[in-house]
Amino acid sequence: MLSSMSQLSPMLAGSTETEAELQILRSRMVLSKVVDNLNLELVVEPKYFPLVGSFVARRGMLGNGLVPPFLGATSYAWGGEVLEVARFEVPSEWLGEPFTLTADGAGGFLVSDADGLERLRGKAGEQAEAPTAEGKGRLQIFVRDLKARAGTQFVITRISFSDALNGLAQNLAITEQGKKSGILNITAKNTNKKLAADVVRQVQDAYLRQNVERRSEEAEKSLEFLRQQLPAIKAETDAAQAKLNAYQLKQGSVNVTKETELVLQEAVSADTERMRLIGQRQEALQRYTPQHPVIVALDAQIQLLQGQRDSIKKRSETLPETQQEILSLMRDLEVSTQIYTTLLNSAQELQVSKAGTIGNVRIIDYPLVPEKKIKPKGSLVLALSVFAGLFLGISYALVRNLLNRGVSRPDELERATGIPTYAAIPFVQEQRKLSQLIGRGHVGDHILASVDQNSVAVEAIRSLRASLQFALLESPNNVIMFTGPTPGLGKSFLSINLSAVLAASGKRVVLLDCDMRRGHLKKYIAVGANIGLSNYISGTATLDQVLNQTPVPGLTLITNGVVPPNPAELLAHERFIELLNKLSASYDYVILDTPPVLPVADAMIIGRLAGCVLLVLKEAAHPMRIIEETVRRLRQSGVQIRGAVFNQVGLYGGGYGYYSSYGYSYTEKYASDSR
């Protein structure tokens, strides 16, 4: 077992030694020198245009000179800019706060804080400083070089030493090259490829320097100890020599017997070895505690030699008195001489070793500036982006379909309520644009049937016109009413565009905005809104005063008028019934845009007077229970629903695409035939 352990010990020792060197490389002793030498407490970055600025700047750095700004954005760096800041000192409270340096194009610059407040001005190559307005200290900056067009901005941040140290450690990887090779590999990551190479080089140099300094320091400590011991040992040697000479002068010539010489040799050898071990122990005590195994082993050896010394002393006591005295004097001289000679040789060796200390590590390869980036990898990012886009898109569609319980198919509506679907109006982008113009208060003609007659939505409304012509054959009058369960279904859009389509076919059409609470048909055309339906019913306006001509020939509009305190009571008034009868006799079609059914009762009051009531539904916007409740309320009020119209089909990417496809094909064919 002991033999096996002895074979394993070199491997274990090597692993421990390598791990120790890894920890030294990661220590603050090494990394702090890198931070100081490279000034990593100072972060300087050009201000790039969002998203694409850094990409353009990297491509621009391949050429010479400054890259012209894109679209006149001179405050951004586009490539070729140079800013070298040798020093930037801020009060401790502002560590980590970004400052903006703006170049003036002539080597000068302006430094402002995050709030845009000017802090100091300076010029490249000159020290600039200014006190803070808050009285926290002074700002100091020294710009070694600045090349940038006027207005180009850079972001400068002074971070704390600990943050710089942590940032360096996080971007530094130190591993053993191979298994138990003892060769260490250092890798640094940085957005600046030159700085990445400089970091590795500085780490190598700092590690090598500390290794040399450590070995030199050990030699210096040993040499200092010897320098302290040499004078005392030399004094002892001189004293021993003097005592021997004095004794010989006193006693005359004394012959040393063979037995005395033998005892002398043994005594000198034991005392010399003992004194050497005592010196080693004193030197070791400068690095270890008395309980350390090294000190304990030296104490054991010294104790053993002390026993030999006592044995030699007993043997010397059997010699004659003259021989004992000469033996003692000669032993002291020999021991002192040998110890002094040994220490003197050791001191000279340490001086040579200290002068030529090279350390026990060596740098195999210095870093090269990388030519290619390691991340992000364009092909991998593209592949992951495509996969993530497909995955998220499909997941969104599936989740929305699972969560969406709104009715989107006409057959579902017909099975549940028995109401047929007259038309499905697809959503088009022109409709969104017109709605945005209305929302911004833009004055003009915002009727889709008038602005874009070839739109697929207008084609679908023409299909609705054809269906209504047959439905009105069985109706008691020519009054058509649009309503729905809730607001935001596009009833006003359908009402005014259907009116425009009917008027375009040569019919005389009048459109009434019966939503006296939130009616906004007046926003589709530029007409006055002060006089309308509410004014006529209340008796404050005549019929001629409320009739408004529109940009569409044959289409007349009656707006909602002033918002009354009792809209439902006004709609139930006899004057409203008389108005509908007059309009029905004077116009080919009377179209009513009414409020939603569920919030208010207006639609149920008006519906009894209309010959054709159409229920407007937004695709996938309402669960079946909402639609059934709407139908139930209308029917309980005596309103007969002729059919339903699905509006904004395809707004959420689903629905009946064949309506849009058919309308587009028909429009294109019609245009070809016309040509």
Side-chain angles (χ1 to χ4, degrees):
M1 183 177 66
L2 293 176
S3 176
S4 300
M5 291 299 294
S6 64
Q7 294 176 4
L8 288 174
S9 61
M11 292 186 291
L12 296 175
S15 176
T16 303
E17 182 179 355
T18 301
E19 182 62 29
E21 298 304 318
L22 287 172
Q23 296 303 323
I24 292 174
L25 278 166
R26 298 190 184 102
S27 66
R28 289 196 302 271
M29 175 180 62
V30 173
L31 298 186
S32 61
K33 292 181 173 61
V34 180
V35 172
D36 293 336
N37 294 339
L38 296 179
N39 199 14
L40 297 182
E41 295 176 79
L42 185 59
V43 181
V44 180
E45 296 177 345
K47 187 177 181 180
Y48 294 122
F49 190 82
L51 298 180
V52 299
S54 59
F55 174 80
V56 175
R58 286 196 301 271
R59 295 300 181 271
M61 290 177 184
L62 300 178
N64 297 322
L66 298 175
V67 178
F70 183 68
L71 296 178
T74 56
S75 62
Y76 297 103
W78 295 100
E81 293 82 7
V82 176
L83 175 62
E84 295 183 14
V85 182
R87 184 184 182 191
F88 183 55
E89 300 293 338
V90 300
S92 58
E93 295 86 352
W94 288 352
L95 289 175
E97 295 293 330
F99 288 80
T100 301
L101 185 146
T102 305
D104 63 4
F109 57 86
L110 164 68
V111 178
S112 56
D113 58 17
D115 298 327
L117 181 64
E118 179 182 339
R119 290 297 180 176
L120 61 84
R121 291 178 177 269
K123 191 175 182 63
E126 299 177 1
Q127 175 82 13
E129 61 178 307
T132 60
E134 297 82 358
K136 296 181 178 180
R138 301 182 67 83
L139 285 176
Q140 297 180 356
I141 187 171
F142 179 73
V143 176
R144 184 179 292 113
D145 190 15
L146 174 60
K147 295 179 181 178
R149 69 178 57 84
T152 304
Q153 295 182 345
F154 300 84
V155 179
I156 307 177
T157 308
R158 178 77 181 189
I159 61 177
S160 64
F161 180 79
S162 60
D163 289 342
L165 203 61
N166 293 334
L168 174 61
Q170 291 175 1
N171 292 313
L172 198 66
I174 305 173
T175 58
E176 186 175 7
Q177 190 75 21
K179 188 176 182 180
K180 302 186 184 304
S181 64
I183 299 176
L184 304 181
N185 183 54
I186 305 174
T187 304
K189 294 186 295 184
N190 199 283
T191 55
N192 186 331
K193 58 184 180 181
K194 183 178 181 303
L195 182 57
D198 290 342
V199 166
V200 175
R201 181 181 293 272
Q202 289 292 333
V203 171
Q204 289 177 328
D205 292 343
Y207 173 65
L208 179 61
R209 189 179 302 109
Q210 68 82 28
N211 182 266
V212 172
E213 290 175 352
R214 177 173 59 86
R215 293 178 63 84
S216 177
E217 183 181 0
E218 292 177 355
E220 178 63 28
K221 288 183 178 180
S222 299
L223 184 59
E224 182 64 25
F225 172 76
L226 293 179
R227 288 172 178 169
Q228 294 175 359
Q229 297 296 320
L230 280 173
I233 299 300
K234 188 175 187 308
E236 292 180 3
T237 303
D238 293 341
Q241 181 68 51
K243 287 183 179 180
L244 178 60
N245 293 337
Y247 182 77
Q248 288 179 341
L249 289 173
K250 180 181 178 181
Q251 298 293 334
S253 178
V254 179
N255 295 325
V256 180
T257 63
K258 293 293 184 180
E259 183 178 4
T260 302
E261 289 182 356
L262 181 59
V263 173
L264 176 62
Q265 291 178 1
E266 293 179 356
V268 170
S269 177
D271 285 348
T272 303
E273 182 65 17
R274 176 175 171 274
M275 293 300 295
R276 187 184 67 81
L277 291 176
I278 291 175
Q280 289 184 0
R281 184 179 185 277
Q282 292 178 354
E283 182 181 358
L285 283 175
Q286 298 180 9
R287 290 179 291 176
Y288 307 117
T289 62
Q291 292 76 26
H292 195 273
V294 174
I295 304 298
V296 173
L298 289 173
D299 289 341
Q301 295 181 44
I302 293 173
Q303 188 66 30
L304 181 62
L305 290 174
Q306 183 64 36
Q308 294 180 7
R309 190 167 179 270
D310 293 340
S311 176
I312 294 172
K313 184 178 180 181
K314 290 181 179 180
R315 288 175 56 191
S316 64
E317 290 177 353
T318 60
L319 297 174
E321 182 178 352
T322 304
Q323 294 295 319
Q324 290 183 24
E325 186 66 24
I326 197 67
L327 173 63
S328 176
L329 294 175
M330 293 182 68
R331 181 192 63 192
D332 293 341
L333 178 60
E334 287 291 333
V335 169
S336 299
T337 302
Q338 289 191 17
I339 292 176
Y340 179 75
T341 303
T342 301
L343 293 180
L344 190 60
N345 291 335
S346 297
Q348 293 175 352
E349 291 175 358
L350 286 174
Q351 288 179 347
V352 174
S353 176
K354 180 176 179 297
T357 301
I358 59 174
N360 62 346
V361 298
R362 63 191 177 103
I363 298 175
I364 299 176
D365 291 319
Y366 276 102
L368 298 176
V369 176
E371 298 180 356
K372 297 181 179 179
K373 63 182 180 181
I374 60 171
K375 66 177 185 179
K377 297 181 178 178
S379 57
L380 179 61
V381 170
L382 179 61
L384 291 177
S385 300
V386 172
F387 174 77
L390 292 173
F391 175 77
L392 293 176
I394 295 173
S395 300
Y396 171 74
L398 293 175
V399 171
R400 195 194 69 184
N401 187 55
L402 291 174
L403 297 178
N404 181 18
R405 299 183 179 272
V407 176
S408 59
R409 300 183 61 86
D411 54 347
E412 297 179 24
L413 176 66
E414 191 167 355
R415 284 197 304 267
T417 63
I419 300 175
T421 300
Y422 277 21
I425 314 300
F427 177 81
V428 293
Q429 289 298 327
E430 290 81 0
Q431 179 181 346
R432 186 192 300 274
K433 294 176 182 177
L434 291 174
S435 299
Q436 292 174 349
L437 291 175
I438 293 173
R440 291 196 292 265
H442 187 271
V443 178
D445 184 2
H446 303 311
I447 304 174
L448 182 62
S450 176
V451 175
D452 187 6
Q453 298 181 4
N454 295 327
S455 172
V456 292
V458 176
E459 288 296 331
I461 294 175
R462 292 192 181 103
S463 300
L464 175 61
R465 177 188 62 184
S467 301
L468 287 175
Q469 290 176 352
F470 293 101
L472 289 175
L473 294 176
E474 302 177 358
S475 300
N477 56 41
N478 58 352
V479 179
I480 303 171
M481 185 185 90
F482 285 98
T483 189
T486 57
L489 303 177
K491 301 187 304 298
S492 300
F493 168 80
L494 282 176
S495 300
I496 196 165
N497 280 279
L498 176 62
S499 301
V501 169
L502 290 171
S505 64
K507 304 296 183 179
R508 298 181 70 248
V509 183
V510 60
L511 173 61
L512 281 73
D513 191 349
C514 298
D515 189 352
M516 288 186 287
R517 292 177 172 85
R518 299 175 58 185
H520 59 278
L521 282 177
K522 56 183 174 288
K523 297 179 181 179
Y524 283 86
I525 56 177
V527 297
N530 295 329
I531 301 176
L533 182 60
S534 62
N535 303 94
Y536 176 82
I537 298 175
S538 62
T540 59
T542 63
L543 180 58
D544 293 335
Q545 290 178 322
V546 298
L547 293 175
N548 299 284
Q549 299 303 316
T550 67
V552 181
L555 175 59
T556 303
L557 173 65
I558 299 178
T559 63
N560 58 333
V562 179
V563 178
N566 52 348
E569 286 74 9
L570 283 180
L571 293 173
H573 200 275
E574 289 294 333
R575 286 181 61 85
F576 179 64
I577 300 174
E578 293 175 359
L579 174 63
L580 291 183
N581 291 332
K582 289 180 182 180
L583 296 175
S584 178
S586 303
Y587 291 88
D588 296 319
Y589 295 99
V590 179
I591 299 178
L592 309 179
D593 181 21
T594 65
V597 174
L598 297 181
V600 294
D602 299 8
M604 292 176 282
I605 298 173
I606 303 172
R608 293 194 295 266
L609 307 175
C612 180
V613 177
L614 296 179
L615 185 66
V616 180
L617 300 174
K618 191 174 180 180
E619 182 197 21
H622 304 294
M624 184 60 72
R625 66 179 185 275
I626 299 296
I627 300 174
E628 290 176 344
E629 177 63 19
T630 303
V631 173
R632 185 186 66 81
R633 291 191 184 185
L634 289 173
R635 287 175 176 173
Q636 284 181 349
S637 301
V639 179
Q640 182 181 1
I641 304 173
R642 290 283 182 175
V645 179
F646 275 86
N647 191 28
Q648 299 187 19
V649 174
L651 175 61
Y652 301 109
Y656 302 94
Y658 58 84
Y659 283 100
S660 176
S661 177
Y662 170 76
Y664 178 78
S665 300
Y666 176 81
T667 303
E668 290 296 318
K669 182 177 183 304
Y670 177 78
S672 289
D673 293 344
S674 300
R675 290 193 295 269

